[in-house]
Protein backbone atom coordinates (compact mmCIF):
# COMPACT_ATOMS: atom_id res chain seq x y z
CA UNK A 1 0.00 0.00 0.00
CA UNK A 2 1.49 3.31 -1.08
CA UNK A 3 1.77 5.95 1.61
CA UNK A 4 2.58 9.62 1.07
CA UNK A 5 3.94 10.79 4.40
CA UNK A 6 4.76 14.25 3.07
CA UNK A 7 1.51 15.53 1.57
CA UNK A 8 -1.11 12.99 2.68
CA UNK A 9 0.02 11.59 6.07
CA UNK A 10 -1.89 10.12 8.98
CA UNK A 11 -1.81 12.49 11.96
CA UNK A 12 -2.05 12.36 15.72
CA UNK A 13 -3.10 15.41 17.75
CA UNK A 14 -2.71 15.76 21.50
CA UNK A 15 -5.46 18.27 22.39
CA UNK A 16 -4.05 19.30 25.76
CA UNK A 17 -5.42 21.42 28.59
CA UNK A 18 -2.44 23.79 28.56
CA UNK A 19 -0.49 22.77 25.42
CA UNK A 20 -1.33 20.84 22.25
CA UNK A 21 0.94 19.00 19.81
CA UNK A 22 0.68 17.34 16.38
CA UNK A 23 2.72 14.49 14.84
CA UNK A 24 2.65 12.36 11.69
CA UNK A 25 3.58 8.78 10.84
CA UNK A 26 6.66 8.95 8.63
CA UNK A 27 6.79 5.30 7.75
CA UNK A 28 7.93 1.87 8.84
CA UNK A 29 11.15 1.96 10.80
CA UNK A 30 11.04 5.75 11.06
CA UNK A 31 8.19 6.15 13.50
CA UNK A 32 6.12 9.19 14.41
CA UNK A 33 7.59 12.67 14.01
CA UNK A 34 6.23 15.91 15.51
CA UNK A 35 5.59 19.00 13.41
CA UNK A 36 6.79 22.42 14.45
CA UNK A 37 3.91 24.85 14.99
CA UNK A 38 3.26 28.38 16.22
CA UNK A 39 6.41 29.95 14.71
CA UNK A 40 8.85 27.11 15.27
CA UNK A 41 7.59 25.71 18.59
CA UNK A 42 7.06 22.02 19.32
CA UNK A 43 3.74 22.72 21.04
CA UNK A 44 0.85 25.16 20.70
CA UNK A 45 -0.53 26.78 23.84
CA UNK A 46 -4.23 25.87 24.18
CA UNK A 47 -5.34 29.50 24.44
CA UNK A 48 -7.97 31.28 22.32
CA UNK A 49 -8.47 35.03 21.85
CA UNK A 50 -11.61 36.51 20.25
CA UNK A 51 -12.00 40.09 19.04
CA UNK A 52 -15.16 41.02 17.16
CA UNK A 53 -13.58 44.25 15.92
CA UNK A 54 -10.42 42.57 14.61
CA UNK A 55 -11.85 41.61 11.22
CA UNK A 56 -15.05 41.38 9.21
CA UNK A 57 -14.14 37.76 8.46
CA UNK A 58 -15.41 35.64 11.37
CA UNK A 59 -12.51 33.21 10.98
CA UNK A 60 -10.01 36.05 11.39
CA UNK A 61 -11.66 37.19 14.61
CA UNK A 62 -10.06 34.24 16.41
CA UNK A 63 -6.42 33.70 17.26
CA UNK A 64 -4.86 30.82 19.17
CA UNK A 65 -1.53 29.96 20.74
CA UNK A 66 1.23 32.46 21.40
CA UNK A 67 -0.48 35.42 19.71
CA UNK A 68 -3.66 34.81 21.72
CA UNK A 69 -1.66 34.83 24.94
CA UNK A 70 0.09 38.11 24.03
CA UNK A 71 -3.20 39.82 23.13
CA UNK A 72 -4.88 38.42 26.22
CA UNK A 73 -2.24 39.93 28.49
CA UNK A 74 -3.72 43.37 27.78
CA UNK A 75 -7.35 42.30 27.35
CA UNK A 76 -7.93 39.25 29.60
CA UNK A 77 -11.71 39.31 29.09
CA UNK A 78 -11.16 38.45 25.40
CA UNK A 79 -9.07 35.35 26.15
CA UNK A 80 -9.97 31.80 27.25
CA UNK A 81 -7.80 28.93 28.43
CA UNK A 82 -8.17 25.61 30.26
CA UNK A 83 -11.57 25.05 28.61
CA UNK A 84 -10.80 21.37 28.15
CA UNK A 85 -11.73 20.91 31.81
CA UNK A 86 -15.28 21.95 30.87
CA UNK A 87 -15.63 19.69 27.84
CA UNK A 88 -18.64 17.86 29.28
CA UNK A 89 -20.63 21.11 28.95
CA UNK A 90 -21.82 21.82 25.39
CA UNK A 91 -23.55 25.08 26.27
CA UNK A 92 -22.14 28.55 25.46
CA UNK A 93 -20.75 29.03 28.96
CA UNK A 94 -17.53 31.00 28.38
CA UNK A 95 -17.61 34.75 27.75
CA UNK A 96 -15.02 36.28 25.38
CA UNK A 97 -15.23 39.83 24.13
CA UNK A 98 -18.89 40.11 25.04
CA UNK A 99 -19.89 36.88 23.25
CA UNK A 100 -20.44 33.42 24.74
CA UNK A 101 -18.75 30.29 23.36
CA UNK A 102 -18.91 26.61 24.24
CA UNK A 103 -15.77 24.60 25.10
CA UNK A 104 -16.47 22.69 21.87
CA UNK A 105 -16.11 25.84 19.75
CA UNK A 106 -12.94 26.94 21.54
CA UNK A 107 -11.36 23.47 21.24
CA UNK A 108 -12.18 23.50 17.54
CA UNK A 109 -10.26 26.78 17.19
CA UNK A 110 -7.16 25.19 18.77
CA UNK A 111 -7.43 22.20 16.40
CA UNK A 112 -7.89 24.52 13.40
CA UNK A 113 -4.84 26.55 14.40
CA UNK A 114 -2.48 23.60 14.94
CA UNK A 115 -3.62 21.94 11.68
CA UNK A 116 -3.36 25.17 9.66
CA UNK A 117 0.17 25.76 11.01
CA UNK A 118 1.12 22.50 9.27
CA UNK A 119 -0.79 23.13 6.02
CA UNK A 120 0.88 26.56 5.67
CA UNK A 121 4.23 24.78 5.39
CA UNK A 122 3.12 23.49 1.97
CA UNK A 123 1.81 25.19 -1.18
CA UNK A 124 -1.89 25.97 -0.95
CA UNK A 125 -4.12 22.96 -1.59
CA UNK A 126 -1.24 20.44 -1.53
CA UNK A 127 -1.41 19.12 2.04
CA UNK A 128 -4.36 17.03 3.27
CA UNK A 129 -4.53 14.64 6.22
CA UNK A 130 -5.31 11.05 5.26
CA UNK A 131 -6.85 10.57 8.71
CA UNK A 132 -6.38 12.11 12.14
CA UNK A 133 -6.59 10.63 15.63
CA UNK A 134 -7.27 13.04 18.52
CA UNK A 135 -6.51 12.15 22.14
CA UNK A 136 -8.64 12.56 25.27
CA UNK A 137 -7.99 11.92 29.00
CA UNK A 138 -8.62 8.36 30.17
CA UNK A 139 -11.70 9.29 32.24
CA UNK A 140 -13.54 11.52 29.79
CA UNK A 141 -17.16 10.33 29.95
CA UNK A 142 -19.33 9.74 26.88
CA UNK A 143 -20.54 13.35 26.81
CA UNK A 144 -17.02 14.82 26.94
CA UNK A 145 -15.82 12.37 24.25
CA UNK A 146 -18.79 13.19 22.04
CA UNK A 147 -18.11 16.92 22.44
CA UNK A 148 -14.42 16.39 21.58
CA UNK A 149 -15.44 14.49 18.44
CA UNK A 150 -17.71 17.38 17.50
CA UNK A 151 -14.84 19.87 17.94
CA UNK A 152 -12.59 17.69 15.75
CA UNK A 153 -15.20 17.53 12.98
CA UNK A 154 -15.79 21.30 13.19
CA UNK A 155 -12.04 21.81 12.67
CA UNK A 156 -12.12 19.93 9.33
CA UNK A 157 -9.01 17.82 10.00
CA UNK A 158 -10.33 14.54 8.50
CA UNK A 159 -11.04 13.14 11.95
CA UNK A 160 -10.87 9.34 12.30
CA UNK A 161 -11.10 8.34 15.97
CA UNK A 162 -10.44 9.30 19.60
CA UNK A 163 -7.68 7.64 21.65
CA UNK A 164 -7.01 7.84 25.37
CA UNK A 165 -3.91 9.88 26.17
CA UNK A 166 -2.10 7.31 28.36
CA UNK A 167 -2.63 4.58 25.74
CA UNK A 168 -1.14 6.90 23.13
CA UNK A 169 1.90 7.50 25.36
CA UNK A 170 2.18 3.75 25.92
CA UNK A 171 2.19 3.09 22.17
CA UNK A 172 4.96 5.62 21.72
CA UNK A 173 7.04 3.85 24.38
CA UNK A 174 6.24 0.42 22.92
CA UNK A 175 7.45 1.52 19.50
CA UNK A 176 10.78 2.65 21.00
CA UNK A 177 11.19 -0.66 22.85
CA UNK A 178 10.32 -3.10 20.08
CA UNK A 179 13.31 -5.28 19.23
CA UNK A 180 13.05 -6.33 15.57
CA UNK A 181 15.86 -8.89 15.98
CA UNK A 182 14.18 -10.58 18.99
CA UNK A 183 14.40 -14.37 18.87
CA UNK A 184 12.65 -15.16 22.18
CA UNK A 185 9.57 -14.11 24.12
CA UNK A 186 9.80 -11.00 26.30
CA UNK A 187 7.23 -9.48 28.68
CA UNK A 188 7.16 -6.27 30.73
CA UNK A 189 4.59 -4.63 33.00
CA UNK A 190 4.83 -0.90 32.39
CA UNK A 191 3.16 2.03 34.13
CA UNK A 192 2.59 5.22 32.15
CA UNK A 193 2.48 8.11 34.63
CA UNK A 194 1.09 11.09 32.70
CA UNK A 195 0.80 14.26 34.76
CA UNK A 196 0.11 17.23 32.52
CA UNK A 197 -1.18 20.73 32.94
CA UNK A 198 -4.81 19.84 33.52
CA UNK A 199 -5.16 16.05 33.81
CA UNK A 200 -3.56 13.09 35.55
CA UNK A 201 -3.62 9.74 33.70
CA UNK A 202 -2.32 6.32 34.66
CA UNK A 203 -2.11 3.29 32.41
CA UNK A 204 -0.70 -0.05 33.51
CA UNK A 205 -0.09 -2.30 30.52
CA UNK A 206 1.62 -5.53 29.58
CA UNK A 207 3.94 -5.49 26.56
CA UNK A 208 4.58 -8.97 25.15
CA UNK A 209 7.00 -9.52 22.27
CA UNK A 210 8.01 -12.57 20.31
CA UNK A 211 9.38 -13.00 16.77
CA UNK A 212 5.88 -13.19 15.29
CA UNK A 213 3.61 -11.09 17.44
CA UNK A 214 3.47 -7.94 19.51
CA UNK A 215 0.69 -7.71 22.10
CA UNK A 216 -0.14 -4.51 23.89
CA UNK A 217 -2.64 -5.19 26.71
CA UNK A 218 -4.04 -2.58 29.09
CA UNK A 219 -4.32 -4.07 32.59
CA UNK A 220 -5.77 -1.08 34.44
CA UNK A 221 -6.25 2.66 34.10
CA UNK A 222 -6.70 5.44 36.62
CA UNK A 223 -6.20 9.12 37.22
CA UNK A 224 -8.21 12.31 37.55
CA UNK A 225 -9.43 14.65 34.81
CA UNK A 226 -9.05 17.72 37.06
CA UNK A 227 -5.64 17.30 38.64
CA UNK A 228 -2.46 18.74 37.17
CA UNK A 229 -0.09 21.64 36.83
CA UNK A 230 -2.95 24.16 36.87
CA UNK A 231 -3.80 23.11 40.43
CA UNK A 232 -0.15 23.35 41.45
CA UNK A 233 -0.04 26.87 39.96
CA UNK A 234 -2.99 27.92 42.13
CA UNK A 235 -1.25 26.60 45.24
CA UNK A 236 1.94 28.52 44.49
CA UNK A 237 -0.09 31.66 43.64
CA UNK A 238 -1.70 31.50 47.07
CA UNK A 239 1.73 31.24 48.71
CA UNK A 240 3.04 34.30 46.85
CA UNK A 241 -0.01 36.43 47.64
CA UNK A 242 -0.13 35.46 51.32
CA UNK A 243 3.55 36.13 51.87
CA UNK A 244 3.29 39.44 50.01
CA UNK A 245 0.11 40.37 51.96
CA UNK A 246 -1.66 41.22 48.70
CA UNK A 247 -5.32 40.37 48.12
CA UNK A 248 -7.04 40.11 44.74
CA UNK A 249 -10.48 39.97 46.35
CA UNK A 250 -13.01 42.83 46.22
CA UNK A 251 -11.03 44.86 43.68
CA UNK A 252 -13.25 47.60 42.26
CA UNK A 253 -11.60 47.67 38.83
CA UNK A 254 -12.23 44.25 37.22
CA UNK A 255 -9.56 44.93 34.59
CA UNK A 256 -6.93 45.47 37.32
CA UNK A 257 -7.78 42.10 38.83
CA UNK A 258 -7.61 40.25 35.50
CA UNK A 259 -4.29 41.84 34.53
CA UNK A 260 -2.88 41.01 37.98
CA UNK A 261 -3.92 37.37 37.63
CA UNK A 262 -2.38 37.25 34.15
CA UNK A 263 0.95 38.58 35.48
CA UNK A 264 0.83 36.13 38.38
CA UNK A 265 0.12 33.20 36.07
CA UNK A 266 3.25 33.89 34.00
CA UNK A 267 5.41 34.38 37.10
CA UNK A 268 4.12 31.22 38.80
CA UNK A 269 4.73 29.03 35.73
CA UNK A 270 8.31 30.32 35.38
CA UNK A 271 8.92 29.93 39.13
CA UNK A 272 7.60 26.36 39.10
CA UNK A 273 9.94 25.45 36.24
CA UNK A 274 12.89 27.10 38.01
CA UNK A 275 12.20 25.19 41.24
CA UNK A 276 12.45 21.92 39.32
CA UNK A 277 16.18 22.67 38.81
CA UNK A 278 17.27 24.76 41.80
CA UNK A 279 16.22 25.11 45.45
CA UNK A 280 14.90 28.68 45.40
CA UNK A 281 13.62 31.35 43.03
CA UNK A 282 13.36 35.13 43.26
CA UNK A 283 9.87 36.46 42.41
CA UNK A 284 9.12 40.08 41.56
CA UNK A 285 6.24 42.00 39.95
CA UNK A 286 6.20 45.80 40.02
CA UNK A 287 2.67 47.17 40.43
CA UNK A 288 0.90 43.84 40.56
CA UNK A 289 -1.93 46.11 41.62
CA UNK A 290 -1.52 49.89 41.43
CA UNK A 291 0.97 50.78 44.18
CA UNK A 292 1.35 47.16 45.39
CA UNK A 293 4.51 45.25 44.50
CA UNK A 294 5.37 41.55 44.83
CA UNK A 295 8.98 41.02 45.89
CA UNK A 296 10.18 37.84 47.65
CA UNK A 297 12.16 34.62 47.36
CA UNK A 298 10.31 31.29 47.42
CA UNK A 299 11.92 27.90 48.06
CA UNK A 300 11.28 24.47 46.57
CA UNK A 301 10.14 23.27 50.00
CA UNK A 302 7.52 26.06 50.14
CA UNK A 303 6.13 24.87 46.82
CA UNK A 304 6.13 21.20 47.81
CA UNK A 305 4.30 21.91 51.07
CA UNK A 306 1.68 23.94 49.20
CA UNK A 307 0.82 20.98 46.90
CA UNK A 308 0.86 18.33 49.65
CA UNK A 309 -2.90 17.77 49.29
CA UNK A 310 -2.47 16.80 45.63
CA UNK A 311 0.56 14.61 46.35
CA UNK A 312 -1.55 12.61 48.81
CA UNK A 313 -4.31 12.39 46.22
CA UNK A 314 -1.85 10.97 43.68
CA UNK A 315 -0.77 8.34 46.23
CA UNK A 316 -4.41 7.40 46.79
CA UNK A 317 -5.10 7.06 43.04
CA UNK A 318 -2.02 4.84 42.67
CA UNK A 319 -3.28 2.60 45.50
CA UNK A 320 -6.63 2.20 43.74
CA UNK A 321 -4.79 1.23 40.54
CA UNK A 322 -2.93 -1.62 42.27
CA UNK A 323 -6.21 -2.92 43.69
CA UNK A 324 -7.91 -2.95 40.28
CA UNK A 325 -4.93 -4.58 38.56
CA UNK A 326 -4.48 -7.03 41.48
CA UNK A 327 -0.71 -6.61 41.54
CA UNK A 328 1.86 -5.22 43.94
CA UNK A 329 3.77 -2.01 43.08
CA UNK A 330 7.08 -3.90 43.02
CA UNK A 331 5.76 -6.05 40.17
CA UNK A 332 5.97 -3.06 37.83
CA UNK A 333 9.08 -3.36 35.66
CA UNK A 334 9.25 0.22 34.41
CA UNK A 335 7.61 3.64 34.84
CA UNK A 336 7.29 6.02 31.90
CA UNK A 337 7.05 9.70 32.87
CA UNK A 338 4.89 11.77 30.54
CA UNK A 339 3.63 15.36 30.79
CA UNK A 340 5.35 18.53 31.95
CA UNK A 341 4.34 18.20 35.62
CA UNK A 342 5.97 14.75 35.87
CA UNK A 343 9.33 16.59 35.85
CA UNK A 344 8.68 18.09 39.30
CA UNK A 345 11.31 16.54 41.63
CA UNK A 346 8.91 15.63 44.46
CA UNK A 347 6.71 13.74 41.97
CA UNK A 348 9.64 11.58 40.89
CA UNK A 349 10.61 11.06 44.53
CA UNK A 350 7.05 9.97 45.34
CA UNK A 351 7.24 7.30 42.63
CA UNK A 352 10.67 6.07 43.75
CA UNK A 353 9.45 5.71 47.34
CA UNK A 354 6.13 4.05 46.49
CA UNK A 355 6.97 1.85 43.50
CA UNK A 356 10.78 1.38 43.44
CA UNK A 357 10.89 0.59 39.72
CA UNK A 358 13.12 1.88 36.94
CA UNK A 359 11.97 5.31 35.80
CA UNK A 360 12.07 6.00 32.10
CA UNK A 361 11.79 9.65 31.07
CA UNK A 362 10.40 9.72 27.57
CA UNK A 363 12.72 11.62 25.17
CA UNK A 364 9.78 13.86 24.26
CA UNK A 365 7.48 13.99 27.33
CA UNK A 366 5.44 16.85 25.83
CA UNK A 367 5.17 15.18 22.41
CA UNK A 368 4.85 11.45 23.03
CA UNK A 369 1.03 11.53 23.29
CA UNK A 370 0.77 13.10 19.82
CA UNK A 371 3.38 10.62 18.51
CA UNK A 372 1.43 7.68 19.98
CA UNK A 373 -1.77 9.00 18.39
CA UNK A 374 0.00 9.10 15.00
CA UNK A 375 1.18 5.49 15.50
CA UNK A 376 -2.41 4.46 16.27
CA UNK A 377 -3.67 6.34 13.19
CA UNK A 378 -1.20 4.34 11.07
CA UNK A 379 -2.34 1.12 12.76
CA UNK A 380 -6.01 1.94 11.95
CA UNK A 381 -5.08 2.61 8.31
CA UNK A 382 -3.44 -0.81 8.04
CA UNK A 383 0.06 0.58 7.58
CA UNK A 384 2.99 -1.58 8.79
CA UNK A 385 3.86 -0.21 12.21
CA UNK A 386 5.87 -2.92 14.00
CA UNK A 387 7.56 -4.67 11.11
CA UNK A 388 6.01 -7.87 9.77
CA UNK A 389 4.67 -8.93 13.15
CA UNK A 390 1.04 -9.38 13.95
CA UNK A 391 -0.08 -6.58 16.24
CA UNK A 392 -2.79 -6.91 18.88
CA UNK A 393 -3.97 -3.97 20.98
CA UNK A 394 -6.27 -4.90 23.87
CA UNK A 395 -7.93 -2.22 25.95
CA UNK A 396 -10.17 -2.73 28.95
CA UNK A 397 -13.32 -0.66 28.45
CA UNK A 398 -14.84 -1.92 31.71
CA UNK A 399 -11.82 -0.76 33.69
CA UNK A 400 -12.14 2.70 32.17
CA UNK A 401 -15.83 2.81 33.09
CA UNK A 402 -15.03 1.70 36.64
CA UNK A 403 -12.40 4.44 36.88
CA UNK A 404 -14.91 7.05 35.72
CA UNK A 405 -17.50 5.72 38.18
CA UNK A 406 -14.97 5.82 41.03
CA UNK A 407 -14.21 9.46 40.26
CA UNK A 408 -17.94 10.30 40.16
CA UNK A 409 -18.44 8.55 43.51
CA UNK A 410 -15.53 10.51 44.97
CA UNK A 411 -17.10 13.77 43.79
CA UNK A 412 -20.47 12.81 45.33
CA UNK A 413 -18.76 11.84 48.59
CA UNK A 414 -17.12 15.26 48.69
CA UNK A 415 -20.53 16.87 48.16
CA UNK A 416 -21.99 14.78 51.00
CA UNK A 417 -19.14 15.76 53.30
CA UNK A 418 -19.64 19.41 52.39
CA UNK A 419 -23.38 19.17 53.10
CA UNK A 420 -22.76 17.47 56.44
CA UNK A 421 -20.31 20.20 57.42
CA UNK A 422 -22.86 22.84 56.44
CA UNK A 423 -25.50 21.09 58.54
CA UNK A 424 -23.21 20.94 61.57
CA UNK A 425 -22.29 24.60 61.08
CA UNK A 426 -25.95 25.69 60.82
CA UNK A 427 -26.98 23.64 63.84
CA UNK A 428 -24.13 25.14 65.84
CA UNK A 429 -25.22 28.63 64.77
CA UNK A 430 -28.76 27.90 65.94
CA UNK A 431 -27.57 26.53 69.28
CA UNK A 432 -25.32 29.56 69.78
CA UNK A 433 -28.21 31.87 68.93
CA UNK A 434 -30.55 30.13 71.36
CA UNK A 435 -27.96 30.32 74.14
CA UNK A 436 -27.42 34.03 73.51
CA UNK A 437 -31.17 34.65 73.64
CA UNK A 438 -31.48 32.66 76.86
CA UNK A 439 -28.66 34.66 78.42
CA UNK A 440 -30.33 37.92 77.36
CA UNK A 441 -33.60 36.78 78.91
CA UNK A 442 -31.84 35.79 82.15
CA UNK A 443 -30.03 39.14 82.32
CA UNK A 444 -33.17 41.15 81.77
CA UNK A 445 -35.44 39.19 84.12
CA UNK A 446 -34.30 41.32 87.03
CA UNK A 447 -36.91 44.09 86.88
CA UNK A 448 -36.42 47.67 88.04
CA UNK A 449 -37.04 48.26 91.75
CA UNK A 450 -40.37 49.89 91.06
CA UNK A 451 -41.75 46.73 89.36
CA UNK A 452 -42.70 43.38 90.80
CA UNK A 453 -41.63 40.07 89.21
CA UNK A 454 -45.27 39.20 88.83
CA UNK A 455 -45.66 42.09 86.44
CA UNK A 456 -43.38 40.44 83.88
CA UNK A 457 -46.21 38.54 82.26
CA UNK A 458 -46.39 36.64 78.97
CA UNK A 459 -48.93 37.65 76.36
CA UNK A 460 -48.84 41.42 76.78
CA UNK A 461 -50.41 43.05 73.73
CA UNK A 462 -47.99 45.32 71.88
CA UNK A 463 -48.88 47.52 68.89
CA UNK A 464 -46.33 48.28 66.17
CA UNK A 465 -46.18 51.96 65.26
CA UNK A 466 -43.23 52.08 62.88
CA UNK A 467 -40.68 49.89 61.07
CA UNK A 468 -37.16 51.18 61.59
CA UNK A 469 -34.04 50.45 59.53
CA UNK A 470 -30.63 52.09 59.19
CA UNK A 471 -27.30 50.83 57.85
CA UNK A 472 -26.30 49.36 61.23
CA UNK A 473 -29.52 48.31 62.95
CA UNK A 474 -33.11 47.45 62.26
CA UNK A 475 -36.21 46.98 64.31
CA UNK A 476 -39.76 48.05 65.08
CA UNK A 477 -41.06 50.85 67.31
CA UNK A 478 -43.84 49.57 69.53
CA UNK A 479 -46.28 50.90 72.08
CA UNK A 480 -48.75 49.25 74.44
CA UNK A 481 -50.55 49.22 77.76
CA UNK A 482 -48.78 47.67 80.71
CA UNK A 483 -51.23 47.25 83.61
CA UNK A 484 -52.74 50.61 82.89
CA UNK A 485 -49.36 52.20 82.14
CA UNK A 486 -48.92 53.40 78.55
CA UNK A 487 -45.44 52.74 77.20
CA UNK A 488 -43.37 52.86 74.04
CA UNK A 489 -40.15 51.12 73.08
CA UNK A 490 -37.80 49.88 70.40
CA UNK A 491 -37.46 46.19 69.53
CA UNK A 492 -33.91 45.51 68.15
CA UNK A 493 -34.28 42.87 65.46
CA UNK A 494 -30.59 43.25 64.57
CA UNK A 495 -29.73 41.61 67.88
CA UNK A 496 -31.36 38.44 66.65
CA UNK A 497 -29.85 37.93 63.20
CA UNK A 498 -27.86 40.61 61.41
CA UNK A 499 -27.91 38.63 58.16
CA UNK A 500 -31.69 38.73 57.90
CA UNK A 501 -32.38 42.15 59.41
CA UNK A 502 -34.08 43.78 56.45
CA UNK A 503 -36.22 40.81 55.47
CA UNK A 504 -37.39 40.36 59.09
CA UNK A 505 -38.41 43.98 59.52
CA UNK A 506 -40.49 43.76 56.35
CA UNK A 507 -42.70 41.07 57.96
CA UNK A 508 -43.97 43.56 60.57
CA UNK A 509 -46.58 46.05 59.41
CA UNK A 510 -47.65 49.28 61.05
CA UNK A 511 -50.68 48.73 63.24
CA UNK A 512 -49.96 45.01 63.67
CA UNK A 513 -50.58 43.65 67.14
CA UNK A 514 -48.26 41.00 68.54
CA UNK A 515 -47.74 39.25 71.86
CA UNK A 516 -44.51 39.20 73.78
CA UNK A 517 -42.88 38.94 77.18
CA UNK A 518 -42.03 42.20 78.93
CA UNK A 519 -38.49 42.06 80.29
CA UNK A 520 -37.97 45.52 81.71
CA UNK A 521 -39.65 48.90 81.92
CA UNK A 522 -37.18 51.76 82.13
CA UNK A 523 -37.89 54.90 84.19
CA UNK A 524 -38.78 56.79 80.99
CA UNK A 525 -41.40 54.12 80.22
CA UNK A 526 -39.38 52.53 77.40
CA UNK A 527 -39.97 48.81 77.35
CA UNK A 528 -37.63 45.94 76.40
CA UNK A 529 -39.36 42.72 75.36
CA UNK A 530 -38.27 39.21 74.32
CA UNK A 531 -38.57 38.34 70.63
CA UNK A 532 -38.20 34.65 71.30
CA UNK A 533 -41.89 34.00 71.92
CA UNK A 534 -43.59 36.43 69.53
CA UNK A 535 -46.63 34.42 68.53
CA UNK A 536 -47.28 36.08 65.18
CA UNK A 537 -43.64 35.64 64.15
CA UNK A 538 -42.63 32.42 65.84
CA UNK A 539 -39.57 30.89 64.23
CA UNK A 540 -39.53 33.34 61.31
CA UNK A 541 -36.13 34.73 62.23
CA UNK A 542 -34.55 31.31 61.65
CA UNK A 543 -36.63 30.55 58.56
CA UNK A 544 -33.70 30.64 56.14
CA UNK A 545 -31.52 28.46 58.38
CA UNK A 546 -34.31 25.89 58.84
CA UNK A 547 -34.90 25.78 55.09
CA UNK A 548 -31.21 25.09 54.37
CA UNK A 549 -31.16 22.35 57.00
CA UNK A 550 -34.37 20.68 55.86
CA UNK A 551 -33.29 20.67 52.20
CA UNK A 552 -29.92 19.19 53.10
CA UNK A 553 -31.55 16.53 55.28
CA UNK A 554 -33.78 15.52 52.35
CA UNK A 555 -30.82 15.34 49.94
CA UNK A 556 -28.49 13.28 52.13
CA UNK A 557 -30.54 10.00 52.03
CA UNK A 558 -30.80 10.29 48.23
CA UNK A 559 -27.05 10.77 47.86
CA UNK A 560 -26.30 7.90 50.25
CA UNK A 561 -28.72 5.70 48.30
CA UNK A 562 -26.81 6.47 45.07
CA UNK A 563 -23.52 5.57 46.73
CA UNK A 564 -24.91 2.20 47.86
CA UNK A 565 -26.00 1.23 44.31
Amino acid sequence: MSYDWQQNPVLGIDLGTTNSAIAYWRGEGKGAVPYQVDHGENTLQSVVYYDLNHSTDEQQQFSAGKSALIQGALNPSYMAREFKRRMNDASPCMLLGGRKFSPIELSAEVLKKIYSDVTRQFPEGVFQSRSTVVTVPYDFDKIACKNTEQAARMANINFKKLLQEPIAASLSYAFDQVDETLRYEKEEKILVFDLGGGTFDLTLFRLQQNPHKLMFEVLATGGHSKLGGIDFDECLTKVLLERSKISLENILEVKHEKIARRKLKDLVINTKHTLSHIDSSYCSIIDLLPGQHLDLTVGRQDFELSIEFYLNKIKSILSQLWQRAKIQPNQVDRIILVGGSSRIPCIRQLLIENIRSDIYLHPHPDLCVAEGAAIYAAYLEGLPVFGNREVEIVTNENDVNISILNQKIEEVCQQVSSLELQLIEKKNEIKTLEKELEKEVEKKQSPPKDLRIGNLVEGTIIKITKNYHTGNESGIIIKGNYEGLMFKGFLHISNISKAFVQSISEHFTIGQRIKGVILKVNPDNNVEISTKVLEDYSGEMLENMDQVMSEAEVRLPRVRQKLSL
Side-chain angles (χ1 to χ4, degrees), residues 25 236 290 355 380 383 434 520:
W25 176 251
L236 185 53
I355 305 177
L380 293 175
L383 301 173
E434 288 176 344
K520 187 168 68 174

Side-chain angles (χ1 to χ4, degrees), residues 369-534:
V369 171
E371 291 173 359
I375 293 170
Y376 190 62
Y379 170 77
L380 293 175
E381 288 291 317
L383 301 173
V385 177
F386 296 101
N388 295 322
R389 300 184 210 193
E390 178 189 351
V391 178
E392 184 178 0
I393 298 176
V394 181
T395 61
N396 191 338
E397 295 287 342
N398 290 331
D399 182 70
V400 174
N401 292 332
I402 290 171
S403 299
I404 295 171
L405 179 61
N406 285 338
Q407 184 173 331
K408 298 294 184 186
I409 290 174
E410 181 187 351
E411 290 173 357
V412 173
C413 287
Q414 290 175 351
Q415 292 174 10
V416 171
S417 299
S418 177
L419 280 172
E420 288 176 338
L421 289 173
Q422 288 179 37
L423 272 174
I424 293 170
E425 184 179 340
K426 293 299 180 185
K427 288 177 180 178
N428 288 338
E429 287 180 13
I430 292 171
K431 287 180 182 179
T432 302
L433 181 59
E434 288 176 344
K435 287 180 181 179
E436 289 177 355
L437 287 172
E438 288 171 1
K439 288 179 182 178
E440 285 296 315
V441 172
E442 290 173 1
K443 286 179 184 177
K444 295 179 179 180
Q445 279 183 342
S446 298
K449 293 180 181 179
D450 59 337
L451 292 175
R452 299 187 307 276
I453 293 178
N455 290 334
L456 303 179
V457 293
E458 181 174 339
T460 300
I461 301 298
I462 300 167
K463 183 178 180 181
I464 299 169
T465 60
K466 184 179 180 182
N467 286 345
Y468 178 78
H469 178 68
T470 68
N472 297 320
E473 60 181 359
S474 208
I476 54 175
I477 297 176
I478 52 96
K479 71 177 181 179
N481 189 308
Y482 174 69
E483 292 193 350
L485 175 66
M486 295 298 295
F487 62 80
K488 62 181 179 178
F490 178 73
L491 172 58
H492 286 265
I493 296 174
S494 59
N495 290 339
I496 303 304
S497 176
K498 292 181 180 180
F500 308 123
V501 160
Q502 191 167 0
S503 62
I504 291 173
S505 64
E506 290 171 357
H507 282 273
F508 293 98
T509 59
I510 296 173
Q512 180 181 1
R513 293 179 179 273
I514 58 177
K515 293 181 180 181
V517 176
I518 295 176
L519 298 179
K520 187 168 68 174
V521 178
N522 296 324
D524 57 358
N525 288 337
N526 284 336
V527 177
E528 295 183 25
I529 69 170
S530 166
T531 59
K532 192 176 181 183
V533 291
L534 297 180

Side-chain angles (χ1 to χ4, degrees), residues 239-241 243-244 267 281-284 294-298:
V239 170
L240 296 179
L241 289 174
R243 289 183 54 184
S244 300
L267 174 67
S281 178
Y282 174 65
C283 304
S284 174
L294 188 147
D295 184 22
L296 73 160
T297 297
V298 64

